[in-house]
Amino acid sequence: MPSKLYMVVEHFKDAPAVYRRFREHGRLAPDGLRYVSSWVEENLARCFQIMETDDRELLEQWIANWSDLVEFEVYPVITSAEAAEKVGSS
């Protein structure tokens, strides 16, 4: 099964606690789940993160590691180039 990309929108319940845990324990992602990149709102309320995996269950395991501090929205996404190819072949 090929890897899929996911846009993960994290709604921080407590941003300082999120960053403290990250400093102390790292991303807490299981093997097979790859962090691609992320962007954080200036007010530290939300993080927009791209993750990649071929096993959606790994994403759920990672979410469970943070669910006490973060509420999550997860969207399967494709790249702009993949979208253009998909539309071009229609």
Side-chain angles (χ1 to χ4, degrees), residues 10-13 15 40-48 70:
E10 302 177 349
H11 300 266
F12 294 152
K13 299 175 188 176
V40 179
E41 283 184 313
E42 289 183 14
N43 65 3
L44 302 178
R46 291 186 299 178
C47 176
F48 303 87
V70 180

Side-chain angles (χ1 to χ4, degrees), residues 5 76-90:
L5 295 173
V77 295
I78 59 176
T79 66
S80 297
E82 289 170 323
E85 184 178 313
K86 201 176 218 184
V87 170
S89 65
S90 298

Side-chain angles (χ1 to χ4, degrees), residues 7-12 18-19 27 35 37-41 43-50 62 70-73:
M7 168 63 74
V8 180
V9 181
E10 302 177 349
H11 300 266
F12 294 152
V18 168
Y19 282 94
R27 194 163 309 281
Y35 165 82
S37 191
S38 62
W39 304 263
V40 179
E41 283 184 313
N43 65 3
L44 302 178
R46 291 186 299 178
C47 176
F48 303 87
Q49 188 160 224
I50 300 292
W62 171 70
V70 180
E71 292 180 7
F72 292 87
E73 296 176 58

Side-chain angles (χ1 to χ4, degrees), residues 42-76:
E42 289 183 14
N43 65 3
L44 302 178
R46 291 186 299 178
C47 176
F48 303 87
Q49 188 160 224
I50 300 292
M51 300 295 278
E52 183 177 20
T53 186
D54 59 359
D55 183 355
R56 172 67 189 248
E57 179 56 35
L58 297 177
L59 189 64
E60 296 303 326
Q61 289 174 26
W62 171 70
I63 287 171
N65 291 333
W66 292 96
S67 62
D68 61 323
L69 297 175
V70 180
E71 292 180 7
F72 292 87
E73 296 176 58
V74 178
Y75 303 94

